[in-house]
Amino acid sequence: MKSSLRIAAGIAGAAAGFIATIGLLELTGFGNRADPITTGLVALFVVAPIGAVTGLVLATKLATRKDDNSGGLARNSLKSLGVVVLLCLAAGVTYAVYAYATATPWLNPNASNPLLVFEVRFPAGATVPTSPQGIAIELQTDLNTMPGEVTPAAFYRDGEQPVIAGEVELAFRTSHRQLTVNIQGQPSRIYPIDLTARAPHTPEFGTWRRLADGSEIRYRAKWPGKT
């Protein structure tokens, strides 16, 4: 029990020393005000830890009686320091897990967004514009909506069935995606997009997937630098 109290005193002393050192540095105008980032890093990771260790040793010394034979100041201080290091590591891991869990789930961070390349095939006799006017494409997810573009040069006819083509950016990592195709004067068509959250690149289109109205969609994910 006495050892636990000394360790607790050391931990409290380390916290007090860290905070007191930061406050003292602020009051004395420590560092280069023209470079506050470097100054802050030096204060936080160099000077303040020295203050924490000093506070830990002083608090441990105050909590250790002169007639105490349980290991001496150095041993008790090292025990307290070990606990402090473990607590710091635990806090760091907790923060890292929290930051990862709450970070924006970009699909391709620091690079161009992948594309959802698609074709929509309509039933024979359906009226489909031959230009982008009158066709609106939108990718809807649980995180965002993204307007798409049609590619008139890629429009074609599959027998009697007109086919339109286009693409839309895949910005976020999510498995909840659907593509809305709106043609002027016609009911809105919503196509589920059955890609995994990470939407890996595929060089070929998947199979045609049919809606109840007889229209069909096929698609693939296209990543930057790949064809």
Side-chain angles (χ1 to χ4, degrees):
M1 182 63 71
K2 292 181 179 179
S3 178
S4 298
L5 290 175
R6 285 188 292 272
I7 292 174
I11 295 171
F18 187 93
I19 295 171
T21 301
I22 291 292
L24 183 61
L25 293 177
E26 183 66 26
L27 289 174
T28 57
F30 169 80
N32 181 7
R33 295 299 180 182
D35 188 5
I37 294 178
T38 300
T39 297
L41 291 175
V42 171
L44 190 61
F45 294 106
V46 179
V47 182
I50 293 174
V53 172
T54 301
L56 181 149
V57 173
L58 289 176
T60 303
K61 183 176 182 180
L62 291 174
T64 304
R65 300 199 312 260
K66 292 182 179 180
D67 59 347
D68 195 332
N69 296 319
S70 61
L73 176 62
R75 184 174 179 179
N76 291 328
S77 296
L78 287 175
K79 288 181 180 179
S80 297
L81 181 60
V83 174
V84 169
V85 171
L86 289 176
L87 289 174
C88 290
L89 288 175
V93 170
T94 300
Y95 174 78
V97 171
Y98 171 79
Y100 179 81
T102 58
T104 301
W106 295 107
L107 188 58
N108 193 26
N110 305 317
S112 300
N113 289 328
L115 298 174
L116 176 72
V117 182
F118 62 87
E119 292 183 349
V120 176
R121 184 167 65 185
F122 297 91
T127 301
V128 178
T130 57
S131 68
Q133 285 72 32
I135 304 176
I137 306 294
E138 185 176 73
L139 179 69
Q140 301 171 344
T141 79
D142 56 336
L143 298 173
N144 76 321
T145 58
M146 184 72 71
E149 297 180 356
V150 292
T151 309
F155 289 9
Y156 65 96
R157 298 189 71 84
D158 186 1
E160 296 298 318
Q161 296 179 269
V163 179
I164 65 171
E167 59 187 32
V168 59
E169 291 186 2
L170 298 170
F172 297 107
R173 187 175 63 252
T174 175
S175 58
H176 301 286
R177 302 183 180 101
Q178 61 183 25
L179 191 74
T180 300
V181 178
N182 289 307
I183 296 178
Q184 189 172 3
Q186 300 183 22
S188 179
R189 297 176 171 91
I190 300 176
Y191 301 92
I193 303 300
D194 188 22
L195 291 176
T196 63
R198 296 188 179 277
H201 175 83
T202 52
E204 304 291 339
F205 283 110
T207 57
W208 290 104
R209 298 169 182 265
R210 182 184 294 268
L211 281 189
D213 70 346
S215 65
E216 300 168 283
I217 188 172
R218 64 178 183 175
Y219 48 82
R220 68 186 184 95
K222 178 183 177 183
W223 279 68
K226 298 183 179 181
T227 58

